Amino acid sequence: MVVGGLLIWALFPSPPTPVPLDDLLARSIALTSHARTPVSEGEYKQAEALLSQAMEEYPNDERAYIELAKLEIDRVINHPNSMITTPYYSSSIKELLDKALSINPRSLDALTWLAKYHEYRKEYETAIAVDEKALKLLPAGADSRIYFMIHVGRCLLMMNRLEEAEERLLSLVKLTRSTGDTTNLIFSQGLLGKVYVRQKRFKEAERMLVAAVKQAEAMDLAACPYAALGELYEIVGD
């Protein structure tokens, strides 16, 4: 009987224990977020395989779908000459994000990337609608509201809806200044400066952009609006 039992066990072994989802995600992210540049195509393929495994073993967790969407975007940015279709115009990226939101409609990470997807397709109204959906999910004092508010302002600027953009960005400048959120204050000032340039309010644009540049330099931030300030000086001839 024991022999028979061993024989049956050998013929029908227990299924392997699934790899924890957090481990699969961490391993895939490590492959594409290291300091070496650029990430190799082999590393992208390894990360993609890990995320595909994660989606197969954990189909009801949205995180693997989001990470795969982000991976494909990063892949094209770092390999512009690859044969991969630009993800911002690829339906597969949106399908991944839509799947993530079907699993968890309150996923701010999925909403963040979906808004970016529509922005890069120049579907600004749709991008704003996604941002507004995220804002409705967040309580009034949540720090993460700032990102979506800035993105709305940027999309309004891109649509040349300058009065609306100015109103949104002015409120953001006041809010981030009052809370001491210097990084987002710089982003808000940079965008508001661009609004003033388009409105030909050059003195106000200079004041806003110079303030943003000085603060960014003081914090040694890479996101410094030098280009916008340079464009302003080209226009006014200084």
Side-chain angles (χ1 to χ4, degrees):
M1 296 294 292
V2 173
V3 174
L6 289 173
L7 180 60
I8 291 174
W9 179 86
L11 291 173
F12 302 100
S14 300
T17 303
V19 179
L21 176 59
D22 287 341
D23 288 356
L24 291 170
L25 296 178
R27 285 161 58 192
S28 69
I29 292 169
L31 283 164
T32 57
S33 61
H34 55 67
R36 302 184 307 278
T37 54
V39 178
S40 72
E41 183 60 23
E43 287 170 319
Y44 280 118
K45 288 181 178 178
Q46 290 178 60
E48 187 175 34
L50 288 167
L51 292 171
S52 296
Q53 179 183 347
M55 288 188 295
E56 183 177 345
E57 295 183 0
Y58 302 92
N60 296 318
D61 193 301
E62 77 277 7
R63 290 175 292 169
Y65 298 93
I66 297 169
E67 289 302 325
L68 185 55
K70 291 161 64 175
L71 174 72
E72 293 305 318
I73 291 170
D74 182 77
R75 192 177 191 177
V76 173
I77 290 172
N78 288 288
H79 288 74
N81 296 321
S82 70
M83 297 301 293
I84 306 166
T85 303
T86 303
Y88 298 128
Y89 294 86
S90 169
S91 60
S92 63
I93 298 299
K94 186 175 184 299
E95 286 169 5
L96 286 165
L97 296 171
D98 285 344
K99 176 64 176 178
L101 288 167
S102 72
I103 296 169
N104 179 8
R106 301 180 65 86
S107 172
L108 295 176
D109 200 11
L111 290 169
T112 296
W113 287 95
L114 186 59
K116 288 182 180 181
Y117 169 86
H118 287 297
E119 178 191 2
Y120 282 97
R121 285 175 59 91
K122 303 185 186 304
E123 298 168 349
Y124 301 117
E125 291 280 9
T126 308
I128 289 173
V130 175
D131 288 325
E132 296 289 4
K133 182 177 180 180
L135 287 167
K136 288 178 181 178
L137 295 173
L138 290 162
D143 291 341
S144 50
R145 289 179 61 87
I146 299 295
Y147 168 82
F148 293 102
M149 294 166 72
I150 289 174
H151 195 248
V152 169
R154 184 164 70 240
C155 288
L156 289 170
L157 171 62
M158 296 304 295
M159 288 189 289
N160 219 37
R161 287 163 54 177
L162 300 180
E163 290 185 5
E164 294 173 78
E166 179 188 3
E167 181 181 357
R168 295 270 190 154
L169 293 167
L170 269 175
S171 66
L172 274 168
V173 167
K174 293 176 183 177
L175 174 62
T176 51
R177 185 178 286 141
S178 67
T179 59
D181 184 355
T182 307
T183 300
N184 284 317
L185 172 60
I186 292 166
F187 286 129
S188 302
Q189 288 174 321
L191 288 170
L192 184 55
K194 291 180 180 180
V195 170
Y196 288 149
V197 170
R198 291 196 184 184
Q199 293 175 325
K200 303 186 185 305
R201 295 159 62 181
F202 299 130
K203 288 295 182 183
E204 291 167 282
E206 181 182 32
R207 176 176 56 83
M208 196 60 60
L209 291 170
V210 167
V213 166
K214 287 182 177 178
Q215 290 174 98
E217 289 178 338
M219 295 180 66
D220 197 25
L221 290 179
C224 186
Y226 289 122
L229 188 58
E231 289 171 9
L232 168 64
Y233 287 146
E234 284 185 10
I235 293 170
V236 298
D238 288 342

